[in-house]
Amino acid sequence: MTQDLTQKLKILISGGGIGGLCTALALHAKGHHVTLCEATEILKPLGVGINVLPHAVAVLDEIGVLDELKEIAVETSALIFANRHGQTIYKDPRGTPAGYSHPQLSIHRGQLQMYLWAEAVKRIGPQHLYLGQKIRSVTQSAEQITATAILPNGDEVEHTADFLIAADGIHSAIRKQFYPDEGAPKWNGMMMWRGTSRVKPFLDGRSMVQAGHRRAKFVVYPIEEPSSDGTQLINWICDRRLREDGFGGALTAPSREDWNQKGDLNDLLPTFGDWKFEWLDVPEVLHGATQLFEWPMVDRDPLPRWRHGRVTLLGDAAHPMYPIGSNGATQAILDAKCIADSLDSTLAVEAALDKYEEQRRPMCADIVRLNRQEGLDVILDVVEERSPNGFAKLEDVIDPEEIKEIVMTYKKAAGHRVA
């Protein structure tokens, strides 16, 4: 029987991260009946900073949450590529300074998630949002799906719906059900240490900087406006390559128990302890860390398909990628809009889900592959190789047209508007 989507659908979402919550809000705005299950029993503002690119911020505006998010975020003015001596290689304007209709937002991931959850409670209703329910499997008929969720005490509950959206992250139980032999995420040999510190604003107080090269990179950007004491909360990331033979996703990632664990400053200082720039003292930033975590840089191979009957994947469950180019949360938010728009039609469920996948899967697969080639960060490697001790004139090291070509290629593949 063909289902007429002028009748609003009963939709189940697995996962209450940024992708799952944006999807819930977008679908609810279209009049669908949404239920969401999140495995975490008590939601807390965990994590550190993330960036949301303008085309995803436009979706947040469409959902109706942008004005409030601007109050807890920084509108990024530029992404600056620098060598390990802090010398600027390339400055890429971002958000409205670059001519976009919307800003790029630098924001604390946990605060963004908590705000989206609060909005979902307000709009969708707490009776449709479940904490402490991890959906671990799904069965389906021609008409509906039945998902089994496990509670913290081990008991099981079932949810039925017209279809299921799995937004349950890189360790997705639903993805594993359909791809049981996929194995662990693939590690590129790079470990990331991520933290936050309070410092006096650097540069214009709105810039994101990536400095270094493929073996050691320091990323930093503010995630709050300056406070009354003149300091600003910044997010920083130290990337250090531990295994060269893993470049391109060839290694198995460290065990799940090693994910998001507390980091040790002593692992960073031998590499970054003398990175003192004119505009920022990196060792001082590291010593002033208010929190410090470490985890491996991992992804998964692109899938041949996301939809399986009345089940589809979204966000990191569908396309986990290296955190290069601010694409993690951005692509999940774009997924949310696309699936909501695809379902806002008279197509049958399966056809609507196919339409979503046709638009999103090829682009996300391209981003995964480009990020394995370091995306825009390849600019850093070119300069490090040609001028490891710094430069007097940048044009003696790299032609500006060469940089522009790298930038244009990546932006087009990632779905940016390119002037």
Side-chain angles (χ1 to χ4, degrees), residues 98-284:
Y100 288 91
S101 61
H102 289 78
Q104 175 172 322
L105 295 183
S106 297
I107 190 170
H108 190 287
R109 182 207 168 276
Q111 290 187 15
L112 173 57
Q113 182 186 20
M114 295 296 288
Y115 174 76
L116 292 173
W117 183 272
E119 279 298 299
V121 169
K122 186 190 308 181
R123 300 182 190 187
I124 301 172
Q127 70 274 22
H128 301 297
L129 305 171
Y130 296 95
L131 288 170
Q133 291 201 17
K134 178 178 176 58
I135 294 179
R136 68 178 185 182
S137 63
V138 59
T139 60
Q140 53 187 308
S141 67
E143 298 291 326
Q144 67 176 25
I145 62 93
T146 300
T148 300
I150 187 167
L151 305 179
N153 64 5
D155 290 346
E156 294 181 351
V157 295
E158 290 187 344
H159 298 276
T160 60
D162 292 314
F163 68 96
L164 169 68
I165 299 172
D168 49 345
I170 191 172
H171 293 287
S172 169
I174 304 304
R175 177 172 173 143
K176 186 174 182 180
Q177 178 177 333
F178 294 109
Y179 297 94
D181 300 323
E182 185 177 27
K186 293 188 173 181
W187 180 40
N188 68 351
M190 183 79 79
M191 289 295 293
M192 300 183 294
W193 286 262
R194 308 187 69 157
T196 54
S197 304
R198 296 206 71 89
V199 301
K200 291 183 178 179
F202 62 88
L203 299 176
D204 65 352
R206 296 183 178 277
S207 291
M208 178 181 183
V209 181
Q210 298 186 175
H213 47 82
R214 67 178 291 266
R215 295 183 303 279
K217 184 175 67 175
F218 181 75
V219 181
V220 62
Y221 52 89
I223 54 175
E224 288 182 5
E225 294 291 344
S227 61
S228 58
D229 66 0
T231 64
Q232 189 172 26
L233 186 66
I234 62 169
N235 176 83
W236 53 265
I237 308 155
C238 289
D239 293 345
R240 186 160 66 87
R241 188 166 296 282
L242 303 185
R243 295 278 300 276
E244 281 292 339
D245 56 338
F247 187 63
L251 294 171
T252 299
S255 69
R256 179 72 192 273
E257 290 73 29
D258 291 333
W259 281 60
N260 208 26
Q261 70 177 8
K262 296 287 185 180
D264 186 344
L265 193 60
N266 293 320
D267 291 330
L268 303 179
L269 293 177
T271 300
F272 300 96
D274 61 353
W275 287 31
K276 297 185 178 183
F277 309 147
E278 281 187 16
W279 44 271
L280 189 69
D281 187 320
V282 174
E284 184 178 290

Side-chain angles (χ1 to χ4, degrees), residues 178-395:
F178 294 109
Y179 297 94
D181 300 323
E182 185 177 27
K186 293 188 173 181
W187 180 40
N188 68 351
M190 183 79 79
M191 289 295 293
M192 300 183 294
W193 286 262
R194 308 187 69 157
T196 54
S197 304
R198 296 206 71 89
V199 301
K200 291 183 178 179
F202 62 88
L203 299 176
D204 65 352
R206 296 183 178 277
S207 291
M208 178 181 183
V209 181
Q210 298 186 175
H213 47 82
R214 67 178 291 266
R215 295 183 303 279
K217 184 175 67 175
F218 181 75
V219 181
V220 62
Y221 52 89
I223 54 175
E224 288 182 5
E225 294 291 344
S227 61
S228 58
D229 66 0
T231 64
Q232 189 172 26
L233 186 66
I234 62 169
N235 176 83
W236 53 265
I237 308 155
C238 289
D239 293 345
R240 186 160 66 87
R241 188 166 296 282
L242 303 185
R243 295 278 300 276
E244 281 292 339
D245 56 338
F247 187 63
L251 294 171
T252 299
S255 69
R256 179 72 192 273
E257 290 73 29
D258 291 333
W259 281 60
N260 208 26
Q261 70 177 8
K262 296 287 185 180
D264 186 344
L265 193 60
N266 293 320
D267 291 330
L268 303 179
L269 293 177
T271 300
F272 300 96
D274 61 353
W275 287 31
K276 297 185 178 183
F277 309 147
E278 281 187 16
W279 44 271
L280 189 69
D281 187 320
V282 174
E284 184 178 290
V285 169
L286 301 183
H287 281 291
T290 56
Q291 57 178 348
L292 173 59
F293 304 100
E294 71 170 57
W295 61 84
M297 187 181 289
V298 296
D299 69 1
R300 290 187 184 276
D301 289 336
L303 293 174
R305 62 177 178 143
W306 294 350
R307 182 181 73 82
H308 298 266
R310 289 175 171 260
V311 179
T312 196
L313 306 177
L314 182 143
D316 280 351
H319 47 73
M321 56 188 64
Y322 296 158
I324 293 173
S326 305
N327 269 299
T330 290
Q331 297 304 324
I333 294 169
L334 294 176
D335 288 349
K337 173 176 172 54
C338 185
I339 200 167
D341 288 349
S342 297
L343 289 162
D344 191 26
S345 68
T346 57
L347 292 173
V349 167
E350 291 91 339
L353 297 180
D354 282 342
K355 181 180 178 182
Y356 151 70
E357 181 173 336
E358 286 165 6
Q359 293 182 59
R360 297 294 301 149
R361 186 171 59 82
M363 177 179 290
C364 290
D366 284 345
I367 298 172
V368 169
R369 296 185 186 102
L370 275 171
N371 283 1
R372 287 181 174 181
Q373 300 168 27
E374 298 184 88
L376 292 177
D377 291 3
V378 71
I379 296 168
L380 303 178
D381 294 343
V382 172
V383 173
E384 172 67 16
E385 180 181 346
R386 297 176 185 175
S387 183
N389 298 317
F391 51 80
K393 293 182 179 180
L394 179 62
E395 55 267 31

